[in-house]
Structures are given as structure tokens and as C-alpha cells.
Amino acid sequence: MIVSLNTYLIIIGIFCLLIVIKPLYTRFIKKEESKNDAILLLLLLTIPINWFTPTILTITDCNNYTKEVVLFPTTKDGFKINYGRATYILNKSDRNLTFEYYYYGDNTPAKGEENKEIEPKQNAKVNVISIDYILSEPAESVSTKSSGATKTVLRCK
């Protein structure tokens, strides 16, 4: 099942609200200590849910794309999509796309960080949760607390 990013955010918001409503009601409306306070720890579930929920970027031209989220493993345009830390790029345009890693400061490529060329009408899977710059130019420098940073870029050629 594939949904738009906005629908996904609404679903996660409702999920969080359902988790916290009873403990908050007990504590602040009834003004009682609650055994349900531990249920608030269920909010921590939203971290791995977001971490392992894949994203689909459908590029229709160099200025237009849609971002969707996969709730259940599925197939789209003959491309099998499963759970995991990944972004699936579906190139529906007539131009080549390039997925690149940009290294700022002292950062160097980590294992598995490879640039990809995505031809027109082709699909690709990249092992990142989100792409920092989609169809836009990356910043010339970024502010970091450490010696460097790595950003990801998807651009149209």
C-alpha cells in the first residue's frame, strides 16, 4: 500500500495521539497517577517506523516530482518495494538523473556510498532514508559540529 507523504504524516500523528490520550487524560484531567505512563514509551515506536519505512520518489520531469511512502511491501511499475532504509527512485522523465553523495569538510565516502546514474524510464534503489537535495543544487558549505558532513543530491541532467 502506497500513500502520499501528507497522508503518512496524518497516520503517524493519529497513531501518536491514540498512544498518549489515555495517559494524559488520567494524569491531567483525573489528576491521578497512572500506571499507563509507561505507554508513553510506545511513542518511541515511531522512530523505527520512520526509520524503516521506504520512500518512493517519482520524477516526471526536471522540475516536478511526487513523494510517497510505502506502508506495506508492494510492487509499483514492476519494481518490488520492501521495508528497509531505502528510497526508491522512479524516473518517468525523458532525462537522465544522477544520485550523488556530497562530502563537506573532512568526510570521506563510507562503505556502500556509490553515485548512481538513472536512465529515462528506469528505476533505482538507494540506501538512504531521505535525499537532502531533490532536483536542486546542493549548498556550497554546511554548518557542522564535527569535522564534516555528507549530503545526498538527486539532480536532472
Side-chain angles (χ1 to χ4, degrees):
M1 180 176 178
I2 299 171
V3 297
S4 71
L5 181 62
N6 290 336
T7 303
Y8 174 73
L9 294 175
I10 290 169
I11 291 169
I12 290 295
I14 291 170
F15 177 72
C16 291
L17 183 65
L18 290 174
I19 290 172
V20 301
I21 199 160
K22 184 174 182 191
L24 291 178
Y25 174 78
T26 305
R27 178 162 299 278
F28 295 112
I29 303 299
K30 286 186 164 183
K31 302 210 185 284
E32 298 174 2
E33 286 229 11
S34 175
K35 298 176 188 173
N36 297 324
D37 285 347
I39 292 176
L40 293 174
L41 292 176
L42 285 175
L43 283 178
L44 294 177
L45 277 177
T46 59
I47 294 170
I49 287 172
N50 285 321
W51 195 263
F52 291 104
T53 304
T55 306
I56 299 174
L57 284 175
T58 304
I59 311 298
T60 52
D61 65 41
C62 288
N63 298 317
N64 195 10
Y65 68 92
T66 58
K67 195 170 188 179
E68 301 170 303
V69 178
V70 178
L71 295 181
F72 303 108
T74 187
T75 302
K76 183 170 182 172
D77 297 337
F79 201 52
K80 191 171 184 176
I81 300 171
N82 293 315
Y83 288 126
R85 290 186 60 192
T87 297
Y88 294 88
I89 302 169
L90 307 177
N91 187 2
K92 304 271 187 196
S93 73
D94 295 330
R95 310 268 307 267
N96 284 356
L97 298 176
T98 304
F99 173 78
E100 301 172 310
Y101 289 91
Y102 266 62
Y103 303 98
Y104 297 95
D106 296 337
N107 266 20
T108 57
K111 183 180 178 183
E113 289 183 349
E114 297 176 1
N115 296 340
K116 288 188 178 190
E117 190 81 21
I118 307 163
E119 298 198 9
K121 311 301 180 203
Q122 297 295 312
N123 305 323
K125 175 184 174 185
V126 292
N127 293 322
V128 295
I129 297 171
S130 67
I131 299 174
D132 299 306
Y133 299 98
I134 302 171
L135 303 177
S136 63
E137 289 300 313
E140 296 209 10
S141 64
V142 295
S143 176
T144 64
K145 292 182 181 179
S146 61
S147 61
T150 302
K151 299 289 183 181
T152 52
V153 180
L154 180 67
R155 62 173 56 152
C156 190
K157 286 190 170 184

